[in-house]
Amino acid sequence: MSPHIEKLLVIQDRDRRLIQLEQQLRRIPSERLEIEERAKAAAGRLEELKLRLKQTESDRKQLEVEATAKRAQADKYRSQQLQTKKNEEYQALAREIEGCEKAVREIEDRELDLMEQAEKLAAEIKAEQQLLHEVNAQADRQRAAIAKREADTKAEIEKLKAERAELSRSVDESFLGRYERIMRHRRDAAIVPVQHGNCGGCHLQLPPQTVHQAKGSEELVTCDECGRILYWVAEYEHAPQAAR
Ligand SMILES: [Zn+2]
């Protein structure tokens, strides 16, 4: 293998790792957003339950006011009943009292329903508070883990970039330029092995002349199909086809 290729392969190895790491970095903002949204959703559910409980309590207070008014009205009719001498009027007031008492019973039934609802909501709130606590604790751990991963990734990127700069100083400039153009274009690999007579990048069969050149030439030989730089390694040619 030509020393140019050997050096470029090392650079390619660093570049591929760099591409990988930069992809990982780009995913971090959406990972962060996901964590914040989960925490926000849990807090929102708790708020919603608290609002419902508050509404239930204010509904119950309203009913209590209505019941008190009905009871007062019934009392008023009762005192009117005591004062009346007319049987007809007495009976009419009795019906009014009965109406008030019926209304009070209905209100009390609704109050009981609301109290049951409030109890259920209070239990749900307690469970949701516990859940929110867990979600927040988990979010804190995840935030810390992401921050650490981000810092580690950035540090590794810096290290690789420095290494790559050092490596590239020892490579022929025109070869490096060609390599970089192909890498920018292909993203996955600019230098690929000849694999059983095929290009290791696009996998199409190479003309025997190209394979021959890749095997012996000091020049950079490229695949006509995809433009990637080719190199020849003996193990591919001697390995059985099935083991590829
Ligand atoms: Zn190719």
Side-chain angles (χ1 to χ4, degrees), residues 192 198-204 206 222-228 230:
V192 293
N198 293 353
C199 165
C202 67
H203 305 292
L204 289 178
L206 297 161
T222 54
C223 167
D224 285 341
E225 198 53 42
C226 68
R228 290 184 181 91
L230 296 163

Side-chain angles (χ1 to χ4, degrees), residues 98-161:
E98 204 180 308
C100 285
E101 283 171 345
K102 189 169 173 261
V104 168
R105 281 195 301 276
E106 277 168 10
I107 291 168
E108 282 172 345
D109 282 348
R110 278 157 65 200
E111 278 188 84
L112 273 177
D113 282 348
L114 285 176
M115 278 159 78
E116 269 174 36
Q117 273 183 41
E119 251 176 61
K120 253 177 79 182
L121 281 169
E124 281 177 47
I125 285 170
K126 212 176 153 194
E128 194 62 48
Q129 270 166 338
Q130 178 60 29
L131 190 68
L132 179 64
H133 184 73
E134 282 161 22
V135 167
N136 283 338
Q138 192 194 32
D140 281 343
R141 285 194 299 274
Q142 287 172 328
R143 283 186 200 105
I146 287 178
K148 184 178 185 308
R149 178 150 51 83
E150 188 181 36
D152 289 350
T153 305
K154 281 180 174 169
E156 196 183 346
I157 286 174
E158 286 318 303
K159 194 176 140 253
L160 282 169
K161 277 183 174 168

Side-chain angles (χ1 to χ4, degrees), residues 16-32:
R16 290 170 79 164
R17 180 75 186 135
L18 275 168
I19 289 169
Q20 226 178 32
L21 291 173
E22 272 155 8
Q23 275 171 353
Q24 285 171 15
L25 269 192
R26 278 197 296 276
R27 278 197 294 269
I28 285 181
S30 68
E31 284 180 41
R32 285 203 165 109

Side-chain angles (χ1 to χ4, degrees), residues 40-169:
K40 218 173 108 185
R45 281 195 302 272
L46 180 60
E47 272 320 293
E48 161 79 23
L49 286 172
K50 281 181 174 172
L51 273 178
R52 276 168 61 194
L53 180 60
K54 223 170 137 187
Q55 186 59 48
T56 307
E57 277 161 1
S58 92
D59 287 353
R60 198 171 68 83
K61 272 179 195 147
Q62 182 56 38
L63 286 178
E64 193 49 51
V65 170
E66 284 172 32
T68 305
K70 286 286 175 194
R71 282 188 202 105
Q73 214 177 355
D75 286 346
K76 206 179 107 197
Y77 290 142
R78 270 186 210 100
S79 59
Q80 282 175 7
Q81 238 183 356
L82 289 178
Q83 283 157 21
T84 189
K85 307 268 186 289
K86 295 175 192 158
N87 191 40
E88 216 171 280
E89 210 178 300
Y90 187 92
Q91 293 301 331
L93 285 166
R95 279 194 295 277
E96 291 293 345
I97 292 164
E98 204 180 308
C100 285
E101 283 171 345
K102 189 169 173 261
V104 168
R105 281 195 301 276
E106 277 168 10
I107 291 168
E108 282 172 345
D109 282 348
R110 278 157 65 200
E111 278 188 84
L112 273 177
D113 282 348
L114 285 176
M115 278 159 78
E116 269 174 36
Q117 273 183 41
E119 251 176 61
K120 253 177 79 182
L121 281 169
E124 281 177 47
I125 285 170
K126 212 176 153 194
E128 194 62 48
Q129 270 166 338
Q130 178 60 29
L131 190 68
L132 179 64
H133 184 73
E134 282 161 22
V135 167
N136 283 338
Q138 192 194 32
D140 281 343
R141 285 194 299 274
Q142 287 172 328
R143 283 186 200 105
I146 287 178
K148 184 178 185 308
R149 178 150 51 83
E150 188 181 36
D152 289 350
T153 305
K154 281 180 174 169
E156 196 183 346
I157 286 174
E158 286 318 303
K159 194 176 140 253
L160 282 169
K161 277 183 174 168
E163 228 178 286
R164 190 202 186 278
E166 184 64 40
L167 286 164
S168 65
R169 269 195 280 280

